């Protein structure tokens, strides 16, 4: 089902944002890049009933395709994403460059465009944010706040994701996050 932002009540919009299902207006970086013109026209979200598959329309990219769920089954999340992307691509070709990979609004997403992330609580490692960042960096991981880039952790929960999107396959990007997260969990338990 598609839910356009135009006409969406503020309460529904805020609930979707609070539940991490919807983007919000006013990101200063997107505004500086002139990506928020005509807000909220032409923007919205598709999602399935379980909210495990979503497509953000015109937030930053034309389409941001998201597969997510509670728990640690990255394989199921990745299979759902792959299946959906293949179905979408049958109808709409994605912009692709032979050298740069898939083209996106944000240059850091060039290549596979895959940002696999896990929300995780690592209280011992996170007691020293610099140390957490250092350890994550060794595994090509990025540490973000609970609501993504430029936000703080809420309740000690961090968004850990792969840094690299170029020079590897989509599967390798997801494998990199899985291997890194497993190592972070191991380190947390050993502390």
């Amino acid at each position: 089902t598609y839910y356009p932002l135009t006409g969406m009540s503020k309460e529904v919009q805020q609930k979707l944002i609070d539940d991490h299902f919807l983007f919000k207006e006013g990101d200063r970086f997107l505004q500086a890049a002139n990506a928020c013109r005509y807000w909220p026209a032409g923007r919205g979200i598709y999602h399935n009933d379980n909210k495990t598959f979503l497509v953000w329309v015109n937030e930053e990219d034309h389409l941001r395709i998201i597969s997510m769920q509670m728990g640690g089954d990255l394989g199921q999340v990745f299979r759902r994403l792959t299946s959906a992307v293949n179905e979408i691509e049958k109808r709409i070709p994605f912009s692709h460059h032979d050298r740069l990979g898939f083209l996106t609004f944000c240059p850091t997403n060039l290549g596979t465009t895959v940002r696999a992330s896990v929300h995780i609580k690592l209280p011992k490692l996170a007691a020293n944010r610099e140390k957490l960042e250092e350890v994550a960096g060794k595994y090509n991981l990025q540490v973000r706040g609970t609501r993504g880039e430029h936000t703080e952790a809420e309740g000690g929960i961090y968004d850990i994701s792969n840094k690299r999107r170029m020079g590897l396959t989509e599967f390798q990007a997801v494998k990199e996050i899985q291997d890194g997260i497993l190592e972070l969990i191991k380190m947390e338990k050993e502390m």
Side-chain angles (χ1 to χ4, degrees):
T1 306
Y2 180 65
Y3 303 90
L5 287 190
T6 305
M8 183 183 289
S9 75
K10 289 291 180 193
E11 294 77 28
V12 169
Q13 190 173 3
Q14 193 58 52
K15 173 80 171 119
L16 287 170
I17 291 169
D18 291 344
D19 291 342
H20 305 284
F21 298 128
L22 184 62
F23 52 92
K24 60 182 182 230
E25 179 183 9
D27 180 292
R28 65 187 173 103
F29 298 100
L30 291 178
Q31 288 176 342
N34 214 9
C36 299
R37 288 181 295 177
Y38 314 113
W39 194 278
R43 292 169 172 85
I45 177 176
Y46 286 95
H47 67 73
N48 63 359
D49 291 340
N50 295 334
K51 295 181 183 165
T52 57
F53 181 76
L54 307 93
V55 179
W56 290 356
V57 178
N58 292 325
E59 178 255 0
E60 183 174 322
D61 290 306
H62 294 297
L63 299 177
R64 176 158 298 169
I65 305 164
I66 303 166
S67 177
M68 63 185 199
Q69 68 189 42
M70 298 292 283
D73 192 343
L74 288 176
Q76 186 176 23
V77 174
F78 186 64
R79 285 187 297 277
R80 182 185 314 112
L81 177 69
T82 302
S83 174
V85 166
N86 288 335
E87 285 302 313
I88 292 169
E89 194 167 32
K90 287 177 186 175
R91 295 158 179 83
I92 307 168
F94 296 112
S95 296
H96 189 271
H97 185 275
D98 288 341
R99 188 172 59 84
L100 300 175
F102 291 100
L103 304 177
T104 66
F105 184 83
C106 181
T108 62
N109 290 330
L110 289 174
T112 64
T113 72
V114 171
R115 187 176 81 80
S117 71
V118 173
H119 281 198
I120 189 168
K121 195 170 195 172
L122 300 164
K124 295 173 187 168
L125 276 171
N128 180 342
R129 175 74 187 251
E130 282 183 28
K131 178 68 174 169
L132 176 60
E133 297 268 0
E134 178 187 324
V135 171
K138 289 179 184 176
Y139 298 97
N140 296 311
L141 302 179
Q142 180 178 23
V143 179
R144 299 178 181 206
T146 309
R147 295 182 182 274
E149 203 169 21
H150 314 297
T151 67
E152 295 299 316
E154 296 172 6
I157 298 172
Y158 290 87
D159 178 310
I160 311 285
S161 62
N162 57 302
K163 270 189 196 174
R164 301 182 327 138
R165 296 177 194 35
M166 289 188 101
L168 69 172
T169 67
E170 290 83 355
F171 177 81
Q172 289 169 326
V174 173
K175 180 84 169 98
E176 197 163 80
I177 183 73
Q178 180 180 15
D179 292 346
I181 288 293
L182 290 174
E183 193 59 36
L184 290 174
I185 291 169
K186 180 180 166 200
M187 292 176 73
E188 178 75 16
K189 288 179 178 178
E190 291 173 353
M191 293 181 88

